[in-house]
Amino acid sequence: MTSADAAAAAASSTDTNTKSAKNISPDLKLLDLTLKNASAIQDSIMGEFTAPGVQEILLVRAGGAFEVHRIESSDTSNSNNNDDNDDNSDEEETRIWLKMIMRVETRSVIRSMENVRLGGEKRDLVIIGSDSGNVSVMDLEGGISKVLHCPAFGKTGCRRGTPGQYLARDPKGRAFMISAIEKRKLVYVLNRDATGRPTIASPLEAHRSRTIVLDTVGVDNGYDNPIFASLEYQYPDEEDFLDNMNMGMGMGNDNDSTKMKIQKEVAYYELDLGLNHVSRRWATPAHPSACCMTPLHGGVEGPSGVLVGGEDYIEYVHEGSTSASKIICAIPRRELHPPNKGILITKMTVHKQKKSKFFALAQSELGDVYKVSIFLDPNDKTQVTGMSISLLDTLPVANALNVSKLGMLFVPAEFGDHLLYQFERIDLGEDVPTCTSEQSLEGFKASGVSSDDVYGYFNTANAGKLACKFVPTVLQNLRRVYTMESLAPTTGVLVGELAGNEVSPQIYTLNGRGPRSSLRILRHGAAVTELAGNEV
């Protein structure tokens, strides 16, 4: 065969393959199924998604899937006959579990997630930021997912300059902010058309150059213009950095006076609904170790503002606060914890109770969960006068903290099984280790440090002196009621028929970390779950 014949044959084969590809039906889609879905939970939120009046938990699984679970309970009574006293004693036992309502495979990397409720609605919508370069507004009514809006704003992939890493929504459901790790912030206004269908407006830019964002939340500002709080810092540009370096080299020293200090800030971004414009309204310095925030209730329900968590301290920040009026409190420390090693607050949440009461929960990197109480001025409920931090219990390190109206606490663990707890009590006694902002303020005044260098005093060394000490114990205020099994992380796998009397080989896995590690055996087959039992 000549080269010309070979080229003709190759061209004919290419034409045939092209025609075959064109004949493939566009309705065919690739579907991959796994015998066991991913059990790790990256994030979770609480809301009313599928039906009004029913609180549910929305979980983000590894691999881009999200699930909706509902807290179910059933009462079983056991009757014990007593022949001596001729009476019956009935004992009621309540069984609580999580029931999966729906599961959706997104085929993407979910970076952030928030729930939002429009005015007058009885259910929550879900806002999802992913690696697709879009933001999705979804409705899960009746357990069926429906994408209402999916506007595009950037390139695909998890990039530091593409929004999607952080999501913050207005508590009144009027707008939400989606932010990138660096520079870019977009604000979308939510509304409804004449038919009641949710609508979304074009994005409004709130960019700030050379800015690294660590966290964003929506500030409860009542029905005034929506405000979003951003924990961020701005690094110097190249020219300023080089000038500072040259100045230090020319002076012939390398002390702290020639080094540029980067200050973290809590900034308020205001959305003017009348002008349809976003502006940077206010900013104040934050603790150098600050890493997370959670908003407090505002309007007629609370003082508004945010709680900022960092290393060894939790701080209350709101517009108008100054360095001289800082409300900052040290967290209780373990008795055997090294005094020169800080304890970082990783997760915080706020739960609203009846009669405009609320409390906050904060968890450290060691797993200790603290109850944060806010003290208000009796004559002005919008003014915060102090703060106290009490030890609640020690739980597994969580990726989120979800408190339900039923008095439940769901903890999606970072490692190992996920747990559901029930509050035994939330009003802690005087014997519980507690630190107050008054104690921290007294220590600051006694040190003689200037109010301009307030964060120079509140460091790890002084935290060991200000904080009270405690020894971790078993659960005192919480009771575990349900365990959701998880194989994450799997550190070792062995496949083999080691039982000796089974046909299919077993899968032996090493899971967890530290004292929660386990050896598990996986077998082929369908598991049987007993929902109810009755002795004959």
Side-chain angles (χ1 to χ4, degrees), residues 403-464:
V403 183
S404 73
K405 297 178 181 178
L406 302 176
M408 303 289 178
L409 173 63
F410 179 66
V411 178
E414 184 177 356
F415 301 102
D417 295 338
H418 315 298
L419 304 172
L420 180 66
Y421 296 91
Q422 185 175 24
F423 284 95
E424 293 290 330
R425 62 171 180 168
I426 193 61
D427 295 328
L428 307 180
E430 298 180 355
D431 57 336
V432 177
T434 302
C435 296
T436 63
S437 58
E438 294 181 356
Q439 298 172 353
S440 301
L441 182 60
E442 291 176 359
F444 171 70
K445 292 181 179 180
S447 65
V449 179
S450 173
S451 59
D452 297 334
D453 192 23
V454 59
Y455 295 123
Y457 172 78
F458 291 110
N459 51 29
T460 300
N462 291 326

Short mmCIF file of all heavy atoms in Angstrom, two decimals, residues 403-464:
data_model
loop_
_atom_site.label_atom_id
_atom_site.label_comp_id
_atom_site.label_asym_id
_atom_site.label_seq_id
_atom_site.Cartn_x
_atom_site.Cartn_y
_atom_site.Cartn_z
N VAL A 403 -27.46 24.08 65.34
CA VAL A 403 -28.38 23.99 66.47
C VAL A 403 -29.80 24.11 65.94
O VAL A 403 -30.12 25.03 65.19
CB VAL A 403 -28.10 25.10 67.50
CG1 VAL A 403 -29.01 24.94 68.72
CG2 VAL A 403 -26.64 25.08 67.93
N SER A 404 -30.66 23.17 66.32
CA SER A 404 -32.05 23.16 65.85
C SER A 404 -32.97 23.69 66.94
O SER A 404 -32.59 23.79 68.12
CB SER A 404 -32.48 21.75 65.45
OG SER A 404 -32.65 20.94 66.60
N LYS A 405 -34.21 23.98 66.54
CA LYS A 405 -35.21 24.46 67.49
C LYS A 405 -35.67 23.37 68.44
O LYS A 405 -36.30 23.67 69.45
CB LYS A 405 -36.42 25.01 66.73
CG LYS A 405 -36.10 26.21 65.85
CD LYS A 405 -37.33 26.67 65.10
CE LYS A 405 -37.00 27.86 64.19
NZ LYS A 405 -38.20 28.31 63.42
N LEU A 406 -35.36 22.12 68.12
CA LEU A 406 -35.75 21.00 68.97
C LEU A 406 -34.75 20.74 70.09
O LEU A 406 -34.89 19.75 70.82
CB LEU A 406 -35.90 19.73 68.12
CG LEU A 406 -36.91 19.81 66.97
CD1 LEU A 406 -36.89 18.52 66.16
CD2 LEU A 406 -38.31 20.07 67.51
N GLY A 407 -33.75 21.60 70.22
CA GLY A 407 -32.74 21.41 71.26
C GLY A 407 -31.71 20.38 70.87
O GLY A 407 -31.18 19.68 71.75
N MET A 408 -31.40 20.28 69.59
CA MET A 408 -30.41 19.33 69.09
C MET A 408 -29.19 20.07 68.56
O MET A 408 -29.30 21.20 68.06
CB MET A 408 -30.99 18.46 67.97
CG MET A 408 -32.22 17.68 68.37
SD MET A 408 -31.85 16.33 69.51
CE MET A 408 -33.50 15.69 69.81
N LEU A 409 -28.06 19.44 68.64
CA LEU A 409 -26.80 19.96 68.11
C LEU A 409 -26.20 18.91 67.20
O LEU A 409 -25.86 17.81 67.65
CB LEU A 409 -25.83 20.32 69.24
CG LEU A 409 -24.41 20.72 68.81
CD1 LEU A 409 -24.44 21.99 67.96
CD2 LEU A 409 -23.50 20.90 70.01
N PHE A 410 -26.09 19.24 65.91
CA PHE A 410 -25.49 18.31 64.95
C PHE A 410 -24.04 18.72 64.73
O PHE A 410 -23.74 19.88 64.45
CB PHE A 410 -26.25 18.33 63.62
CG PHE A 410 -25.66 17.41 62.59
CD1 PHE A 410 -25.68 16.04 62.76
CD2 PHE A 410 -25.07 17.93 61.44
CE1 PHE A 410 -25.12 15.19 61.82
CE2 PHE A 410 -24.52 17.09 60.49
CZ PHE A 410 -24.55 15.72 60.68
N VAL A 411 -23.15 17.73 64.84
CA VAL A 411 -21.71 17.96 64.73
C VAL A 411 -21.17 17.11 63.59
O VAL A 411 -20.94 15.91 63.76
CB VAL A 411 -20.98 17.62 66.04
CG1 VAL A 411 -19.49 17.82 65.89
CG2 VAL A 411 -21.51 18.47 67.18
N PRO A 412 -20.99 17.68 62.38
CA PRO A 412 -20.31 16.95 61.29
C PRO A 412 -18.81 16.94 61.56
O PRO A 412 -18.12 17.94 61.35
CB PRO A 412 -20.67 17.75 60.04
CG PRO A 412 -20.95 19.12 60.54
CD PRO A 412 -21.46 19.00 61.94
N ALA A 413 -18.31 15.85 62.02
CA ALA A 413 -16.94 15.77 62.51
C ALA A 413 -15.94 15.87 61.36
O ALA A 413 -16.19 15.41 60.24
CB ALA A 413 -16.71 14.48 63.29
N GLU A 414 -14.83 16.48 61.66
CA GLU A 414 -13.75 16.57 60.67
C GLU A 414 -13.12 15.20 60.44
O GLU A 414 -12.73 14.87 59.31
CB GLU A 414 -12.70 17.57 61.16
CG GLU A 414 -11.58 17.83 60.19
CD GLU A 414 -10.60 18.88 60.70
OE1 GLU A 414 -10.87 19.44 61.78
OE2 GLU A 414 -9.60 19.13 60.03
N PHE A 415 -13.04 14.40 61.49
CA PHE A 415 -12.51 13.04 61.41
C PHE A 415 -13.45 12.11 62.17
O PHE A 415 -13.86 12.41 63.29
CB PHE A 415 -11.10 12.95 62.01
CG PHE A 415 -10.10 13.85 61.35
CD1 PHE A 415 -9.73 15.04 61.94
CD2 PHE A 415 -9.54 13.52 60.13
CE1 PHE A 415 -8.82 15.88 61.35
CE2 PHE A 415 -8.61 14.35 59.53
CZ PHE A 415 -8.25 15.53 60.13
N GLY A 416 -13.79 10.99 61.57
CA GLY A 416 -14.60 9.99 62.26
C GLY A 416 -16.09 10.19 62.07
O GLY A 416 -16.55 10.92 61.18
N ASP A 417 -16.87 9.52 62.90
CA ASP A 417 -18.33 9.53 62.80
C ASP A 417 -18.90 10.91 63.12
O ASP A 417 -18.36 11.65 63.95
CB ASP A 417 -18.94 8.49 63.75
CG ASP A 417 -18.56 7.07 63.38
OD1 ASP A 417 -18.22 6.85 62.21
OD2 ASP A 417 -18.60 6.19 64.26
N HIS A 418 -20.03 11.23 62.45
CA HIS A 418 -20.76 12.46 62.72
C HIS A 418 -21.81 12.19 63.79
O HIS A 418 -22.44 11.12 63.81
CB HIS A 418 -21.41 12.97 61.45
CG HIS A 418 -20.49 12.92 60.25
ND1 HIS A 418 -19.32 13.64 60.17
CD2 HIS A 418 -20.57 12.20 59.10
CE1 HIS A 418 -18.72 13.39 59.02
NE2 HIS A 418 -19.47 12.51 58.35
N LEU A 419 -22.03 13.17 64.67
CA LEU A 419 -22.82 12.92 65.87
C LEU A 419 -23.95 13.93 66.00
O LEU A 419 -23.82 15.09 65.58
CB LEU A 419 -21.92 12.98 67.11
CG LEU A 419 -20.71 12.03 67.11
CD1 LEU A 419 -19.80 12.32 68.28
CD2 LEU A 419 -21.16 10.58 67.13
N LEU A 420 -25.04 13.47 66.59
CA LEU A 420 -26.18 14.32 66.92
C LEU A 420 -26.37 14.29 68.42
O LEU A 420 -26.50 13.21 69.02
CB LEU A 420 -27.45 13.83 66.21
CG LEU A 420 -28.73 14.63 66.47
CD1 LEU A 420 -28.60 16.04 65.89
CD2 LEU A 420 -29.94 13.92 65.87
N TYR A 421 -26.38 15.46 69.04
CA TYR A 421 -26.49 15.58 70.49
C TYR A 421 -27.80 16.28 70.85
O TYR A 421 -28.37 17.04 70.06
CB TYR A 421 -25.32 16.38 71.07
CG TYR A 421 -23.97 15.75 70.90
CD1 TYR A 421 -23.19 16.03 69.79
CD2 TYR A 421 -23.46 14.88 71.85
CE1 TYR A 421 -21.93 15.44 69.63
CE2 TYR A 421 -22.22 14.29 71.71
CZ TYR A 421 -21.46 14.58 70.58
OH TYR A 421 -20.23 14.00 70.42
N GLN A 422 -28.23 16.02 72.08
CA GLN A 422 -29.39 16.71 72.64
C GLN A 422 -28.94 17.49 73.87
O GLN A 422 -28.18 16.99 74.70
CB GLN A 422 -30.48 15.71 73.04
CG GLN A 422 -31.76 16.37 73.53
CD GLN A 422 -32.86 15.36 73.79
OE1 GLN A 422 -32.59 14.19 74.04
NE2 GLN A 422 -34.10 15.81 73.73
N PHE A 423 -29.40 18.74 73.97
CA PHE A 423 -29.02 19.58 75.11
C PHE A 423 -29.73 19.08 76.36
O PHE A 423 -30.96 19.00 76.40
CB PHE A 423 -29.39 21.04 74.85
CG PHE A 423 -28.47 21.74 73.90
CD1 PHE A 423 -28.77 21.82 72.54
CD2 PHE A 423 -27.30 22.32 74.35
CE1 PHE A 423 -27.93 22.47 71.67
CE2 PHE A 423 -26.45 22.98 73.48
CZ PHE A 423 -26.76 23.05 72.14
N GLU A 424 -28.96 18.78 77.37
CA GLU A 424 -29.52 18.46 78.68
C GLU A 424 -29.79 19.74 79.47
O GLU A 424 -30.78 19.83 80.19
CB GLU A 424 -28.56 17.55 79.45
CG GLU A 424 -28.40 16.17 78.84
CD GLU A 424 -29.65 15.33 78.98
OE1 GLU A 424 -30.40 15.52 79.97
OE2 GLU A 424 -29.90 14.48 78.10
N ARG A 425 -28.93 20.71 79.30
CA ARG A 425 -29.12 22.02 79.90
C ARG A 425 -28.23 23.02 79.16
O ARG A 425 -27.17 22.67 78.64
CB ARG A 425 -28.77 22.02 81.39
CG ARG A 425 -27.31 21.68 81.69
CD ARG A 425 -26.97 21.90 83.15
NE ARG A 425 -25.57 21.58 83.42
CZ ARG A 425 -24.94 21.89 84.55
NH1 ARG A 425 -25.60 22.54 85.49
NH2 ARG A 425 -23.68 21.56 84.73
N ILE A 426 -28.71 24.25 79.08
CA ILE A 426 -27.95 25.31 78.44
C ILE A 426 -27.69 26.45 79.41
O ILE A 426 -26.77 27.26 79.20
CB ILE A 426 -28.68 25.83 77.18
CG1 ILE A 426 -27.76 26.69 76.34
CG2 ILE A 426 -29.95 26.58 77.57
CD1 ILE A 426 -26.53 25.99 75.82
N ASP A 427 -28.46 26.54 80.49
CA ASP A 427 -28.21 27.53 81.54
C ASP A 427 -27.20 26.93 82.52
O ASP A 427 -27.54 26.14 83.41
CB ASP A 427 -29.51 27.89 82.26
CG ASP A 427 -30.49 28.59 81.34
OD1 ASP A 427 -30.05 29.30 80.43
OD2 ASP A 427 -31.72 28.40 81.53
N LEU A 428 -25.94 27.28 82.32
CA LEU A 428 -24.86 26.67 83.08
C LEU A 428 -24.77 27.28 84.47
O LEU A 428 -25.12 28.44 84.69
CB LEU A 428 -23.53 26.87 82.34
CG LEU A 428 -23.53 26.38 80.87
CD1 LEU A 428 -22.17 26.63 80.24
CD2 LEU A 428 -23.91 24.91 80.79
N GLY A 429 -24.29 26.48 85.40
CA GLY A 429 -24.18 26.92 86.79
C GLY A 429 -22.91 27.70 87.05
O GLY A 429 -22.08 27.93 86.17
N GLU A 430 -22.76 28.08 88.32
CA GLU A 430 -21.59 28.86 88.71
C GLU A 430 -20.33 28.02 88.82
O GLU A 430 -19.22 28.58 88.86
CB GLU A 430 -21.86 29.56 90.05
CG GLU A 430 -23.02 30.55 90.00
CD GLU A 430 -23.27 31.21 91.33
OE1 GLU A 430 -22.56 30.81 92.30
OE2 GLU A 430 -24.12 32.10 91.42
N ASP A 431 -20.48 26.69 88.89
CA ASP A 431 -19.31 25.83 89.03
C ASP A 431 -18.62 25.57 87.69
O ASP A 431 -17.58 24.91 87.65
CB ASP A 431 -19.72 24.51 89.66
CG ASP A 431 -20.82 23.80 88.87
OD1 ASP A 431 -21.56 24.50 88.14
OD2 ASP A 431 -20.94 22.56 88.99
N VAL A 432 -19.18 26.06 86.58
CA VAL A 432 -18.60 25.84 85.26
C VAL A 432 -17.47 26.84 85.03
O VAL A 432 -17.61 28.02 85.36
CB VAL A 432 -19.69 26.00 84.17
CG1 VAL A 432 -19.09 25.86 82.78
CG2 VAL A 432 -20.78 24.97 84.38
N PRO A 433 -16.34 26.41 84.48
CA PRO A 433 -15.25 27.36 84.19
C PRO A 433 -15.72 28.46 83.25
O PRO A 433 -16.21 28.20 82.16
CB PRO A 433 -14.18 26.47 83.52
CG PRO A 433 -14.48 25.09 84.00
CD PRO A 433 -15.97 25.02 84.18
N THR A 434 -15.58 29.71 83.71
CA THR A 434 -16.10 30.86 82.97
C THR A 434 -15.10 32.00 83.00
O THR A 434 -14.50 32.29 84.04
CB THR A 434 -17.44 31.34 83.57
OG1 THR A 434 -18.38 30.26 83.57
CG2 THR A 434 -18.01 32.50 82.78
N CYS A 435 -14.92 32.64 81.85
CA CYS A 435 -14.12 33.85 81.74
C CYS A 435 -15.03 34.99 81.30
O CYS A 435 -15.96 34.77 80.52
CB CYS A 435 -12.98 33.68 80.73
SG CYS A 435 -11.76 32.43 81.18
N THR A 436 -14.78 36.18 81.78
CA THR A 436 -15.59 37.34 81.45
C THR A 436 -14.73 38.43 80.82
O THR A 436 -13.50 38.47 81.03
CB THR A 436 -16.30 37.90 82.70
OG1 THR A 436 -15.31 38.36 83.63
CG2 THR A 436 -17.15 36.83 83.35
N SER A 437 -15.39 39.31 80.06
CA SER A 437 -14.66 40.43 79.44
C SER A 437 -14.19 41.42 80.50
O SER A 437 -13.21 42.14 80.28
CB SER A 437 -15.56 41.11 78.42
OG SER A 437 -16.77 41.56 79.02
N GLU A 438 -14.88 41.49 81.64
CA GLU A 438 -14.45 42.39 82.71
C GLU A 438 -13.09 41.98 83.26
O GLU A 438 -12.24 42.83 83.54
CB GLU A 438 -15.50 42.41 83.82
CG GLU A 438 -16.84 43.01 83.41
CD GLU A 438 -17.83 43.02 84.56
OE1 GLU A 438 -17.48 42.50 85.64
OE2 GLU A 438 -18.94 43.55 84.38
N GLN A 439 -12.88 40.68 83.42
CA GLN A 439 -11.57 40.21 83.89
C GLN A 439 -10.47 40.55 82.90
O GLN A 439 -9.38 40.98 83.29
CB GLN A 439 -11.64 38.70 84.12
CG GLN A 439 -12.64 38.27 85.18
CD GLN A 439 -12.82 36.75 85.23
OE1 GLN A 439 -12.28 36.02 84.40
NE2 GLN A 439 -13.57 36.29 86.22
N SER A 440 -10.75 40.38 81.61
CA SER A 440 -9.74 40.72 80.60
C SER A 440 -9.48 42.21 80.59
O SER A 440 -8.33 42.65 80.43
CB SER A 440 -10.21 40.24 79.22
OG SER A 440 -10.43 38.84 79.21
N LEU A 441 -10.53 43.03 80.75
CA LEU A 441 -10.35 44.48 80.76
C LEU A 441 -9.57 44.94 81.98
O LEU A 441 -8.71 45.84 81.89
CB LEU A 441 -11.71 45.17 80.71
CG LEU A 441 -11.72 46.70 80.67
CD1 LEU A 441 -10.98 47.19 79.43
CD2 LEU A 441 -13.14 47.23 80.69
N GLU A 442 -9.83 44.34 83.13
CA GLU A 442 -9.07 44.69 84.34
C GLU A 442 -7.59 44.35 84.19
O GLU A 442 -6.72 45.12 84.60
CB GLU A 442 -9.67 43.97 85.54
CG GLU A 442 -11.06 44.48 85.94
CD GLU A 442 -11.65 43.66 87.07
OE1 GLU A 442 -10.97 42.70 87.51
OE2 GLU A 442 -12.77 43.98 87.52
N GLY A 443 -7.31 43.20 83.60
CA GLY A 443 -5.91 42.85 83.38
C GLY A 443 -5.22 43.80 82.41
O GLY A 443 -4.04 44.13 82.58
N PHE A 444 -5.96 44.26 81.40
CA PHE A 444 -5.39 45.21 80.44
C PHE A 444 -5.10 46.56 81.10
O PHE A 444 -4.04 47.16 80.89
CB PHE A 444 -6.35 45.38 79.26
CG PHE A 444 -5.97 46.48 78.32
CD1 PHE A 444 -4.86 46.36 77.51
CD2 PHE A 444 -6.72 47.65 78.26
CE1 PHE A 444 -4.50 47.38 76.63
CE2 PHE A 444 -6.38 48.67 77.40
CZ PHE A 444 -5.27 48.53 76.58
N LYS A 445 -6.01 47.04 81.94
CA LYS A 445 -5.80 48.32 82.61
C LYS A 445 -4.65 48.23 83.61
O LYS A 445 -3.88 49.18 83.78
CB LYS A 445 -7.07 48.75 83.32
CG LYS A 445 -8.20 49.13 82.36
CD LYS A 445 -9.44 49.57 83.14
CE LYS A 445 -10.56 49.98 82.18
NZ LYS A 445 -11.78 50.42 82.92
N ALA A 446 -4.52 47.09 84.29
CA ALA A 446 -3.44 46.95 85.27
C ALA A 446 -2.07 46.86 84.61
O ALA A 446 -1.06 47.16 85.25
CB ALA A 446 -3.69 45.70 86.12
N SER A 447 -2.02 46.47 83.35
CA SER A 447 -0.72 46.33 82.68
C SER A 447 -0.13 47.68 82.31
O SER A 447 1.08 47.78 82.10
CB SER A 447 -0.89 45.49 81.42
OG SER A 447 -1.72 46.15 80.47
N GLY A 448 -0.97 48.71 82.18
CA GLY A 448 -0.46 50.03 81.81
C GLY A 448 -0.18 50.18 80.34
O GLY A 448 0.42 51.19 79.93
N VAL A 449 -0.60 49.25 79.51
CA VAL A 449 -0.37 49.34 78.07
C VAL A 449 -1.31 50.39 77.48
O VAL A 449 -2.46 50.53 77.90
CB VAL A 449 -0.61 47.97 77.40
CG1 VAL A 449 -0.40 48.05 75.89
CG2 VAL A 449 0.34 46.94 78.01
N SER A 450 -0.82 51.13 76.51
CA SER A 450 -1.63 52.16 75.87
C SER A 450 -2.80 51.53 75.12
O SER A 450 -2.71 50.41 74.60
CB SER A 450 -0.77 52.98 74.91
OG SER A 450 -1.58 53.88 74.15
N SER A 451 -3.91 52.27 75.06
CA SER A 451 -5.09 51.77 74.36
C SER A 451 -4.86 51.65 72.86
O SER A 451 -5.60 50.95 72.17
CB SER A 451 -6.28 52.70 74.61
OG SER A 451 -6.00 54.02 74.16
N ASP A 452 -3.83 52.32 72.34
CA ASP A 452 -3.52 52.19 70.92
C ASP A 452 -2.87 50.84 70.60
O ASP A 452 -2.84 50.45 69.43
CB ASP A 452 -2.58 53.32 70.48
CG ASP A 452 -3.24 54.69 70.62
OD1 ASP A 452 -4.48 54.75 70.56
OD2 ASP A 452 -2.51 55.69 70.80
N ASP A 453 -2.35 50.18 71.61
CA ASP A 453 -1.70 48.88 71.41
C ASP A 453 -2.45 47.80 72.19
O ASP A 453 -1.87 47.00 72.91
CB ASP A 453 -0.24 48.95 71.88
CG ASP A 453 0.55 47.73 71.45
OD1 ASP A 453 0.15 47.07 70.46
OD2 ASP A 453 1.57 47.43 72.10
N VAL A 454 -3.79 47.80 72.02
CA VAL A 454 -4.62 46.88 72.79
C VAL A 454 -4.33 45.43 72.41
O VAL A 454 -4.31 44.54 73.27
CB VAL A 454 -6.11 47.22 72.60
CG1 VAL A 454 -6.50 47.13 71.14
CG2 VAL A 454 -6.99 46.32 73.44
N TYR A 455 -4.07 45.17 71.13
CA TYR A 455 -3.80 43.80 70.71
C TYR A 455 -2.39 43.35 71.06
O TYR A 455 -2.08 42.17 71.02
CB TYR A 455 -4.03 43.66 69.21
CG TYR A 455 -5.47 43.86 68.82
CD1 TYR A 455 -5.84 44.81 67.90
CD2 TYR A 455 -6.47 43.07 69.38
CE1 TYR A 455 -7.17 45.00 67.54
CE2 TYR A 455 -7.80 43.25 69.03
CZ TYR A 455 -8.13 44.21 68.12
OH TYR A 455 -9.45 44.39 67.78
N GLY A 456 -1.52 44.30 71.41
CA GLY A 456 -0.20 43.92 71.89
C GLY A 456 -0.26 43.26 73.26
O GLY A 456 0.63 42.48 73.62
N TYR A 457 -1.30 43.59 74.03
CA TYR A 457 -1.46 42.97 75.35
C TYR A 457 -2.19 41.64 75.25
O TYR A 457 -1.83 40.67 75.93
CB TYR A 457 -2.21 43.91 76.28
CG TYR A 457 -2.59 43.27 77.59
CD1 TYR A 457 -1.64 43.11 78.61
CD2 TYR A 457 -3.88 42.79 77.82
CE1 TYR A 457 -1.98 42.51 79.81
CE2 TYR A 457 -4.23 42.20 79.02
CZ TYR A 457 -3.28 42.05 80.01
OH TYR A 457 -3.61 41.45 81.18
N PHE A 458 -3.23 41.58 74.42
CA PHE A 458 -4.03 40.36 74.33
C PHE A 458 -3.33 39.36 73.41
O PHE A 458 -3.67 39.18 72.24
CB PHE A 458 -5.43 40.67 73.81
CG PHE A 458 -6.26 41.44 74.80
CD1 PHE A 458 -6.59 42.76 74.57
CD2 PHE A 458 -6.72 40.84 75.96
CE1 PHE A 458 -7.36 43.48 75.48
CE2 PHE A 458 -7.48 41.54 76.89
CZ PHE A 458 -7.80 42.86 76.64
N ASN A 459 -2.32 38.71 73.95
CA ASN A 459 -1.56 37.70 73.22
C ASN A 459 -1.63 36.38 73.97
O ASN A 459 -2.30 36.25 75.00
CB ASN A 459 -0.11 38.15 73.03
CG ASN A 459 0.54 38.61 74.34
OD1 ASN A 459 0.18 38.13 75.41
ND2 ASN A 459 1.47 39.54 74.25
N THR A 460 -0.91 35.38 73.48
CA THR A 460 -0.97 34.05 74.08
C THR A 460 -0.37 34.03 75.48
O THR A 460 -0.87 33.35 76.38
CB THR A 460 -0.24 33.04 73.18
OG1 THR A 460 -0.87 33.02 71.89
CG2 THR A 460 -0.28 31.65 73.77
N ALA A 461 0.70 34.77 75.69
CA ALA A 461 1.34 34.77 77.01
C ALA A 461 0.40 35.30 78.09
O ALA A 461 0.29 34.73 79.18
CB ALA A 461 2.63 35.59 76.96
N ASN A 462 -0.31 36.38 77.78
CA ASN A 462 -1.24 36.94 78.77
C ASN A 462 -2.54 36.16 78.84
O ASN A 462 -3.24 36.23 79.86
CB ASN A 462 -1.54 38.40 78.43
CG ASN A 462 -0.33 39.30 78.63
OD1 ASN A 462 0.47 39.09 79.54
ND2 ASN A 462 -0.19 40.31 77.77
N ALA A 463 -2.87 35.42 77.79
CA ALA A 463 -4.09 34.60 77.83
C ALA A 463 -3.99 33.52 78.90
O ALA A 463 -4.97 33.19 79.56
CB ALA A 463 -4.36 33.97 76.47
N GLY A 464 -2.78 32.97 79.07
CA GLY A 464 -2.60 31.97 80.12
C GLY A 464 -2.80 32.52 81.51
O GLY A 464 -3.16 31.78 82.44
#
